Structures are given as structure tokens and as C-alpha cells.
Amino acid sequence: MIKSIIAAKSDNNVIGKDNDLVWHMPADLKFFKNTTKGHYVIMGRKTFESMNGPLPNRTHIIITRKLDYEAEGCFVVESIEAAFKIAEEKLLDEVFILGGAEIYRQTIDKADKMYITEIQSTFEGDAFFPEIDKSYWNEVKREAHEADEKNPHPYAFVEYLKR
Ligand SMILES: NC(=O)c1ccc[n+]([C@@H]2O[C@H](COP(=O)([O-])OP(=O)(O)OC[C@H]3O[C@@H](n4cnc5c(N)ncnc54)[C@H](OP(=O)(O)O)[C@@H]3O)[C@@H](O)[C@H]2O)c1
């Protein structure tokens, strides 16, 4: 099973602020939706609560230390290992790790693949993506886009594979 991180980060590695995103980039939302559609997605409790309920057409695995946490229609687990175990038991080809910062930090060394949207600007934030160590991660694909009327920052869809 391929464990894939998917994230959008700025040039200074910001991924969020006040438990929300800090940019409006519909092209990235579309990419995210198309890439994760139909798949199992793993996320921290705070990222889950930053969304307006579960994302359609995806199966959610929420990680929390709160033993009584409930989210209708979602798996709730107490560790990253337990999240991967559910995905393994379902015999999935690929599982997506959706963040946020705490979860990326704890899974970047366990993941096989990363889909990173570079939002090519700097932002203030309080949630950060870990530094990508290029001696472990090989950039295998890059699709660059200019800013346009709907997407105010230049951006690139980048894929990395573990070396
Ligand atoms: N740009 C992007 O691609 C992207 C993607 C996702 C999220 N974000 C942003 O990231 C921010 C949220 O990130 P965050 O770091 O604050 O929160 P998070 O990683 O989403 O969730 C943290 C929570 O996960 C649980 N958790 C973490 N590690 C655990 C472990 N080892 N075992 C059990 N439970 C564990 C804990 O939940 P309990 O407190 O319930 O125990 C912890 O409080 C927001 O600003 C969001 O918008 C951005």
C-alpha cells in the first residue's frame, strides 16, 4: 500500500493559520478533490474540525487522543499506526494523509509518496509543513502554473517519491 501525503504549502512552508487555510486557490482545491476522490483519507482531529463535515466520496480516518471522540460515518483511531492498520486491512492500493502540521510531521518519514502543491508566495501562519529533505525525496513530476484571475498566486503541482 502506498502511503501518500497530500499538502499545499507556501514558499515559507505555511499550510494554515487559526485552524484554516490562508489562501483561496480553487485550482488546488480541484486538484485535491480529483486526486483523493474515492480514497481513504487520514487526518488529525483539528484538520477534520476545520472542514465543514466529512468530504464527499472519501472515507475518513480521524486521529485523536480523545477516547470518546465520535464523527458520524468516519473511523476514529487513537494513533497513526492504527490509522495505517485500518487502511492495510482494507487492502487499499493507496491511502492519503491529509494533514495537518502535527500529522505531516509524524508521517513524513513513513510516507512513500508526496503530492505537494507549491503556492509560490509567502504567508503568515501558525501551521507548517516539515522541511522536505531532498536526500530522501526525489522530485518526479512538476506542473507549473501562472497566477490567473481565479488563482491569485503562481503555483505548481509537484510529486515526490521516497528514494
Ligand atoms: N495546506 C494544507 O494542505 C493543509 C492540510 C491540512 C491541514 N491544514 C491546516 O493545518 C492546520 C491544522 O494542523 P494542526 O497541526 O494544528 O492539527 P492536526 O495535525 O490536523 O491535528 C492535531 C490533532 O491530531 C491528534 N493527534 C496528533 N498526533 C496524534 C497521535 N500521534 N496520536 C493520537 N492523536 C494525535 C490530536 O488530536 P486531539 O487533540 O483530539 O487528541 C491533535 O490535537 C490548520 O490550519 C489547517 O487548515 C493545511
Side-chain angles (χ1 to χ4, degrees), residues 6-9 14-23 28 32 43-50 63-66 69 77-81 98-106 126-128:
I6 185 162
K9 69 176 193 77
V14 165
I15 62 164
K17 188 179 181 194
D18 299 329
N19 211 29
D20 207 350
L21 298 178
V22 285
W23 46 71
D28 180 52
F32 171 82
M43 73 203 71
R45 192 262 309 161
K46 291 184 183 170
T47 291
F48 178 69
E49 290 185 356
S50 76
I63 307 176
T64 175
R65 296 187 181 87
K66 296 180 198 287
Y69 195 77
V77 296
E78 74 292 349
S79 68
I80 287 168
E81 293 68 31
L98 250 62
E102 278 191 42
I103 299 299
Y104 290 141
R105 206 160 44 234
Q106 297 173 77
D126 56 18
F128 295 87

Side-chain angles (χ1 to χ4, degrees), residues 1 3-4 6 39-44 47 59-63 77 79-87 92 95-100 103-104 107:
M1 180 183 69
K3 300 185 193 94
S4 296
I6 185 162
H39 289 280
Y40 277 55
V41 291
I42 296 173
M43 73 203 71
T47 291
T59 306
H60 296 59
I61 306 175
I62 303 164
I63 307 176
V77 296
S79 68
I80 287 168
E81 293 68 31
F84 287 147
K85 188 157 175 269
I86 287 180
L92 307 178
V95 66
F96 286 86
I97 302 159
L98 250 62
I103 299 299
Y104 290 141
T107 54

